[in-house]
Amino acid sequence: MTSSQTTPSAPAQPKTSGLAIASIVLGIAGLCTVGLTGIVGIILGIIALKKIGRGGGQTAGRGLAIGGIVASIVTLLVGAIFVAASFFLWIGGSRAWETASVTSQRMIMQSHTSLLCHATMAYAAGNEDRFPPPDTWPQALKDARVLPDETLLSDPRDPTAGRAIAMNALLAGKKSSDLRQRSKTVLFFECAPGAPPAGGAANLPPEPRDRAGYVIGFCDGHVETVAKNDLGRLIWEP
């Protein structure tokens, strides 16, 4: 038999859904975009599944669409966790930096006050054991050449604002040896910049610059940061 036979053509292969491909690509890309592309990947994956289901087998890619949705959800969750963790770390880092800065400034203020206390003790040693005149103590220490640096008088947080340390006015005319409790008697205390050079408890700022308390220098030379609630234990009148 010589009659020609027609070879049946192979069935057409279903096309892979472009939406399914885009869904999984965007889902994976979410690793680099903190999950932002994952949102679009989820939407495209859902649309792809619906079109594949209505396509009567002419469109393939159901697995890709499901994989794209899953990958998009995972990267979206990972991105959200990463953003939240970064935010809390930033908040924690900012607070840690603020705390370290405040602590450093308090230590500088304490160091300044300690140097002033010892300068005053050196002044007294050369002036019959008497404290410098409270109203003019900065100049008295300077004239006696015991004030190492006038910047010690300022607040380290705002050095240009002026003197931020005052002397206990009730020490006027007193001798160091006359004091019964030198370790509790106030010699210097922090004050508002530009306040009178001498005063008492009423001249303390309404609130301390540092939440830990007021920087107070005592007549024995030591310095403390005294909480507002503990001010009552200080001795102002010798």
Side-chain angles (χ1 to χ4, degrees):
M1 182 181 291
T2 60
S3 60
S4 61
Q5 297 181 354
T6 303
T7 303
S9 59
Q13 294 294 325
K15 295 177 59 177
T16 301
S17 169
L19 293 175
I21 295 173
S23 174
I24 195 165
V25 169
L26 291 173
I28 295 172
L31 293 172
C32 302
T33 62
V34 201
L36 293 178
T37 57
I39 300 173
V40 181
I42 293 171
I43 296 172
L44 294 183
I46 293 172
I47 295 174
L49 284 177
K50 289 182 177 180
K51 288 192 173 183
I52 290 171
R54 294 197 299 262
Q58 296 183 4
T59 306
R62 178 179 177 81
L64 288 175
I66 294 174
I69 293 172
V70 172
S72 296
I73 292 173
V74 170
T75 55
L76 187 60
L77 291 175
V78 170
I81 293 172
F82 176 79
V83 170
S86 298
F87 175 76
F88 286 114
L89 285 173
W90 178 77
I91 292 294
S94 297
R95 289 178 177 174
W97 171 256
E98 180 183 356
T99 301
S101 177
V102 169
T103 300
S104 174
Q105 291 170 348
R106 180 173 69 247
M107 293 176 65
I108 293 173
M109 190 71 170
Q110 289 176 328
S111 176
H112 286 186
T113 306
S114 177
L115 289 171
L116 289 174
C117 287
H118 286 86
T120 301
M121 294 167 66
Y123 174 93
N127 289 272
E128 301 179 348
D129 201 33
R130 295 188 184 280
F131 291 102
D135 291 334
T136 58
W137 66 267
Q139 188 62 45
L141 295 184
K142 185 177 179 181
D143 292 342
R145 300 181 183 275
V146 294
L147 181 63
D149 189 346
E150 289 190 57
T151 59
L152 299 178
L153 308 177
S154 62
D155 183 351
R157 283 161 293 195
D158 190 4
T160 62
R163 181 183 41 74
I165 298 175
M167 181 178 170
N168 181 2
L170 297 177
L171 294 175
K174 300 292 184 180
K175 289 185 177 182
S176 176
S177 56
D178 292 338
L179 305 183
R180 291 176 295 175
Q181 299 187 67
R182 296 171 61 195
S183 63
K184 294 183 179 180
T185 303
V186 175
L187 175 55
F188 289 111
F189 59 95
E190 67 174 72
C191 65
N203 298 101
L204 285 166
E207 294 295 331
R209 296 183 182 89
D210 187 337
R211 287 174 293 183
Y214 297 93
V215 175
I216 305 292
F218 295 86
C219 290
D220 67 343
H222 88 281
V223 176
E224 295 181 22
T225 297
V226 181
K228 188 175 182 179
N229 294 336
D230 292 335
L231 292 175
R233 67 179 176 84
L234 302 179
I235 296 176
W236 294 86
E237 186 172 0

